[in-house]
Amino acid sequence: MPGIRIGIDVGGTFTDAVAVDATTFELLGKVKVPTSHDHADGVAHGILAALEKLRAETGVGAEDVSFLAHGTTQATNALLEGDVAVVGIAGVGTGFDAWATGRLRSLRKLELAPGRPLPIRYAAVRDPADCDRALAGLRDAGAEVVVAVEPFSVDDPAGERAVVDRARSLGLPATATSDITGLYGLAKRARTAVLNAGIMPRMVETADLVDRSVAAAGITAPLMVMRGDGGVMSVAEMRKRPLLTALSGPAAGVAGALMGDRLSEGIFLETGGTSTDISVVRRGKVQVRHARLGGRETYLPALDVRTVGVGGGSLVRASRHEVVDVGPRSAHIAGLPYACFAAPGALDGAVLVHLSPRPDDPADYVALEAPDGRRFALTTTCAANALDVVPADSYAKADTGVARAAVKVLAEALGSSVEETARIVLRKAVGPVLAVVDELVEAYGLDRGAVTLVGGGGGAAAVTPFLGAESSLDWRIAAHSEVISPLGAALALVRESVERIVPNPSHADVLAVRAEAEAAVVAQGADPAGVDVDVTVDPQRNLIRAVATGATELRAKDRGGEVAEDDVRAAVARSLGVAPGEPEEITATAHHAVWGALVRRPGLLGRLVKPVRRVRVVDREGVVRLHGTGAHVASTTVGAAGQVLAALVDEHTSHGDGGSRAPALTLLVGPKIADLSGVLDRDQLVALIGAELSSRTPEEPVVAIVEERR
C-alpha cells in the first residue's frame, strides 16, 4: 500500500486523522481521539495516538507513508490568550536607528488578550560585533527569546544576523525581522517578528516532540505543518517561523476543498457546531491577506476568512409570537443534545422551555423538555432536517420524522406550520452568512453565475443547502465534509510566499523573486517538476510578491479515465449559464480543454448588452479549473511561443492616461495552469512567460488565454 498521505488536525476537543491514497485521493480511513492538552507532551501525545490508531485500523505500514502533515490551533490559541514567551528586543544601530528601534518599547502596550500585554524587554546594541552585554541583560531581565531589529535590515541584514548568531551561541533562541519578511515598515515588521518569537519556544518544543514521535514510529516521510495561508511547510521551516501556523484552522478546510473537491471558483463555508468560516477561492487559489493580531496589522500572510456565529448547533431564540434570532450560543454551550438526533418517540409530549445558556445570556433561547425531564436543543440542524433539505449521505442527516416532531413543538407555540417555522429559522440563521457571501463576491469580483458554494465541516448540511436555495447559487457538500480539515492537511501543497520592495523593478528583479520562492518550496521537499509560481507586481507600491506551491511528490489523479464530451459540455454550460448546446471546444492540450460561448447578461433596466465570449478551462476529469471573460485564446508551441506570445501581449495591451497595462494572461502548458495575471508591465510579463516555458521541449503545445484590462 505505497504512497499514503496522512493528515492530522488538532482541534480544541478532538484530534482527527485521515489516510488518503496519494494518487487517487481516495479516503482510506479516519479516526478521532481526544486532544491531549493536559498531557506532559501536550498536543504531540494526541497526534501520536491518532497516528497509531489510524495505522492500526487501516493497516498502513510506516514504509507506506509518503507524506504526513498536521494542523494545530496551538499558535492561534497562544496568541488569542496572550500566553506567549517573554521577548527581548535587541535594537541595532546608533543615532536615528537607535531612536527608531527604541520606540519599539511601546510594543509592551499591545494586548493580545484583555489584561495580557506583550511581555517585552529592550536592550540597545550599538555594535553587533560586541553585543554580549546587551544580550546578557535581556536574559537577566527574563527574556526567553531574542528578536534582532535594525531599521533597514531588508536591504542589509548583516547586523541582525550577527546578533542572532551571537544570541544562539549563548543559548538564547533568536530570530531577526529580516527572516520574517522582506518588506519595509519597521514597526509592522518588528511587531510580526516579536509575535513570531513569542510563540517560538513552545512551538519548537511541540515540533521536536512530534518529530521524535513520528521517527519512533518508523515513518521517514517528510513531516509538514499547516500554514495559515492554505499550504504546508516543513517542520524545519516552522521552527524558524512558527507564526505562519497561526490562523491555520480554516486554511486546512479550504485546502481540502481545493484539492479533494477541486473547487476553482467559489465560496467555501466550513460549518462547525457554533460558527461558519467563509473564504474565497478564485481561479483555483485561496485569497490571502496580511492578518491582524492584537488589533494591529502584521506581515503574517493568512487566509482572508470571515467568521459568522452560526453553526449546525446554533440555538433558536424565540418570543411568544415569533422567532427572534438563531445563535450565537450553541447546543454545546448549553450542554444539550440536538433534538433531531433523539430516539424516535423520545419527544412525545415534549414542551417548549426558555433558558439562558450562560448566566449573562438573554432568556429567550428555546429548548424542548420531555416528560421524563430530559432537555433537547432546537438547532439549525433540526430545522434543516425538518425541511428535508439535508442530503441523505450528509454527516448532519437525522430522522426527518424526529426533526419534524422537534420543530412542531415550536411551531404550535407560534401558531404556525412545521414547514414555515423551519423555513423562518433557517432564514434567520443563513441571513448573516448570505450577507458575507455577497460581500466577498463583490470584493473579489467573482462572476456570480460561476460561483459555487461548497460546504465543509460537520454542520455543513445544516447551512449550505438552504443558503444555496436562498441565494440561487450552485452548491454542494464537500466529500467527507466532517473530516475536511485533516483531509486538507493530507492533500495540501507546500507553499512559500516571498515579498520584496524594489523601486522601479526590472524584469530581472521580478525573475529573481520568482526564483527565490520556487527554490524555497523545492528546499522543503516539493517536486521541482510540479511547482507553480504566481507573481504579482504592484507598481504603485514597488512591491513584488511571488507565491510558490508544489507537491512533495508528483501526483497524477486517475479516477477511471476521461469524462464523456457531452458531460463536459453540460458542465461548461452550467458554469456559463447557457443552454447545453451552446458551448464549443476552442482548443485543447493533453491535460486541458478550452471551451467558450457568447453570453448575454442583463444590463441596466433589464436591457441585454452586447454578448461577451466567456471561456472555461476544463481538466480531463470534467472539472472547470479556470473562468475567463472577454478572453482571447491562442494556441502555439513552446518553440514558437516567444515571438507569438510577445505579439499577443502587445496586441492586447491597453493604453490610457495612466500608462500602458499588459493583459491578464494565463498559460496552459503540460499539466500546469500558469496564472500570470498579476503583472501589468509588458517586459516583466514576457520575461515570466520565458521562465514558465524554459524547462519545456520546443514541440510541446502551449495555449494562452488573454483578457484585456478594463
Side-chain angles (χ1 to χ4, degrees):
M1 195 187 296
I4 305 301
R5 295 173 71 92
I6 290 179
I8 302 175
D9 180 65
V10 182
T13 305
F14 291 103
T15 294
D16 297 321
V18 298
V20 182
D21 187 293
T23 301
T24 65
F25 294 179
E26 178 188 358
L27 180 66
L28 303 177
K30 57 185 179 181
V31 300
K32 184 186 296 285
V33 302
T35 297
S36 54
H37 294 294
D38 299 326
H39 192 274
D41 291 342
V43 298
H45 177 76
I47 291 174
L48 179 61
L51 180 59
E52 291 177 340
K53 183 177 181 181
L54 182 68
R55 290 178 55 201
E57 292 190 7
T58 60
V60 172
E63 68 283 357
D64 300 325
V65 180
S66 63
F67 177 91
L68 173 62
H70 76 277
T72 174
T73 59
Q74 188 174 21
T76 305
N77 292 343
L79 293 169
L80 292 177
E81 297 166 8
D83 187 13
V84 297
V86 178
V87 179
I89 298 177
V92 180
T94 59
F96 173 82
D97 287 359
W99 174 82
T101 58
R103 297 186 66 195
L104 296 175
R105 292 183 178 91
S106 64
L107 284 176
R108 61 172 59 111
K109 299 178 183 178
L110 181 63
E111 287 194 345
L112 296 175
R116 299 295 298 271
L118 269 175
I120 297 295
R121 308 292 185 266
Y122 180 85
V125 175
R126 298 179 62 85
D127 181 2
D130 184 20
C131 58
D132 284 11
R133 179 176 296 181
L135 293 173
L138 289 174
R139 183 173 53 194
D140 293 344
E144 302 168 74
V145 59
V146 168
V147 174
V149 183
E150 191 171 17
F152 296 99
S153 59
V154 293
D155 296 326
D156 181 7
E160 286 188 350
R161 288 178 179 169
V163 173
V164 167
D165 290 343
R166 189 58 190 155
R168 290 173 179 168
S169 72
L170 297 174
L172 272 172
T175 187
T177 69
S178 53
D179 291 335
I180 302 301
T181 179
L183 298 181
Y184 294 119
L186 176 63
K188 189 188 296 187
R189 192 169 75 249
R191 187 185 309 130
T192 309
V194 166
L195 292 172
N196 182 71
I199 62 174
M200 184 179 287
R202 177 180 294 185
M203 294 295 291
V204 168
E205 180 183 14
T206 298
D208 290 343
L209 287 168
V210 175
D211 213 3
R212 287 198 294 269
S213 298
V214 170
I219 296 175
T220 58
L223 175 61
M224 313 297 283
V225 185
M226 201 74 209
R227 296 166 49 119
D229 58 7
V232 292
M233 61 181 176
S234 68
V235 169
E237 193 62 31
M238 192 276 276
R239 289 188 178 98
K240 295 186 290 185
R241 295 183 292 166
L243 187 65
L244 292 178
T245 68
L247 309 178
S248 63
V254 178
L258 274 172
M259 300 300 294
D261 231 68
R262 307 297 295 276
L263 177 62
S264 60
E265 193 92 354
I267 306 289
F268 177 68
L269 307 106
E270 184 165 10
T271 303
T274 304
S275 62
T276 296
D277 291 325
I278 309 168
S279 49
V280 173
V281 173
R282 183 173 182 272
R283 291 178 176 259
K285 299 174 181 63
V286 297
Q287 301 304 300
V288 173
R289 64 179 179 179
H290 287 149
R292 296 179 68 88
L293 294 170
R296 305 291 295 276
E297 191 173 279
T298 68
Y299 280 134
L300 169 66
L303 199 70
D304 183 3
V305 60
R306 318 290 170 89
T307 300
V308 177
V310 173
S314 293
L315 296 171
V316 177
R317 299 168 63 184
S319 67
R320 295 177 60 184
H321 307 290
E322 64 179 348
V323 175
V324 175
D325 206 349
V326 177
R329 298 301 188 201
S330 65
H332 171 72
I333 296 297
L336 299 176
Y338 293 22
C340 57
F341 294 127
L347 302 180
D348 291 349
V351 296
L352 195 71
V353 295
H354 287 78
L355 54 85
S356 300
R358 287 184 173 172
D360 56 347
D361 287 336
D364 61 357
Y365 288 88
V366 297
L368 308 182
E369 186 172 293
D372 61 5
R374 288 184 298 161
R375 287 188 170 187
F376 298 88
L378 195 58
T379 69
T380 48
T381 300
C382 299
N385 277 285
L387 208 57
D388 202 21
V389 297
V390 179
D393 57 349
S394 295
Y395 185 75
K397 181 64 177 175
D399 184 289
T400 304
V402 174
R404 289 180 60 85
V407 175
K408 183 179 180 181
V409 179
L410 174 61
E412 290 179 343
L414 299 178
S416 181
S417 68
V418 170
E419 291 78 7
E420 185 59 23
T421 301
R423 190 172 288 109
I424 290 172
V425 168
L426 290 176
R427 281 181 178 152
K428 289 283 187 181
V430 306
V433 180
L434 180 56
V436 173
V437 168
D438 289 340
E439 177 186 332
L440 289 172
V441 168
E442 178 69 22
Y444 284 100
L446 301 181
D447 178 356
R448 194 174 183 87
V451 168
T452 298
L453 303 175
V454 175
V463 171
T464 304
F466 191 80
L467 177 65
E470 288 288 289
S471 63
S472 300
L473 295 174
D474 286 341
W475 65 271
R476 64 177 182 267
I477 303 298
H480 313 295
S481 62
E482 73 280 6
V483 288
I484 194 72
S485 288
L487 190 63
L491 299 177
L493 302 175
V494 183
R495 182 180 174 104
E496 189 59 74
S497 176
V498 176
E499 297 177 309
R500 295 284 181 267
I501 297 291
V502 182
N504 300 315
S506 66
H507 63 270
D509 295 321
V510 174
L511 292 178
V513 175
R514 180 191 185 280
E516 184 178 347
E518 184 175 27
V521 295
V522 171
Q524 294 181 63
D527 190 313
V531 173
D532 287 323
V533 187
D534 292 332
V535 178
T536 302
V537 181
D538 185 341
Q540 293 184 330
R541 299 167 58 196
N542 291 314
L543 171 66
I544 306 172
R545 177 185 295 113
V547 179
T549 54
T552 54
E553 72 271 285
L554 197 57
R555 293 173 291 167
K557 291 179 63 177
D558 181 8
R559 291 181 173 174
E562 297 184 6
V563 179
E565 181 176 316
D566 287 347
D567 293 334
V568 173
R569 189 188 302 273
V572 171
R574 284 195 303 272
S575 177
L576 291 169
V578 299
E582 293 187 41
E584 295 291 339
E585 184 177 301
I586 300 169
T587 187
T589 70
H591 298 273
H592 300 98
V594 183
W595 290 72
L598 288 175
V599 179
R600 289 183 180 271
R601 295 294 189 207
L604 294 175
L605 303 178
R607 296 173 181 169
L608 291 177
V609 298
K610 182 180 178 180
V612 176
R613 184 161 76 160
R614 301 191 177 215
V615 301
R616 299 292 186 258
V617 175
V618 185
D619 66 18
R620 290 310 182 190
E621 294 176 12
V623 177
V624 176
R625 304 296 294 155
L626 183 70
H627 305 69
T629 300
H632 304 268
V633 181
S635 299
T636 183
T637 63
V638 170
Q643 183 175 354
V644 171
L645 297 186
L648 192 66
V649 168
D650 290 338
E651 179 185 353
H652 296 288
T653 293
S654 59
H655 302 274
D657 294 339
S660 62
R661 292 158 61 89
L665 185 142
T666 302
L667 295 179
L668 308 181
V669 53
K672 296 175 67 172
I673 301 177
D675 184 357
L676 307 183
S677 61
V679 180
L680 301 176
D681 181 84
R682 183 264 186 202
D683 291 343
Q684 294 170 356
L685 179 56
V686 171
L688 286 171
I689 291 171
E692 286 292 344
L693 303 181
S694 61
S695 62
R696 304 287 176 177
T697 58
E699 66 278 5
E700 192 170 357
V702 177
V703 173
I705 300 169
V706 180
E707 299 174 69
E708 294 181 4
R709 311 275 184 182
R710 295 182 179 178

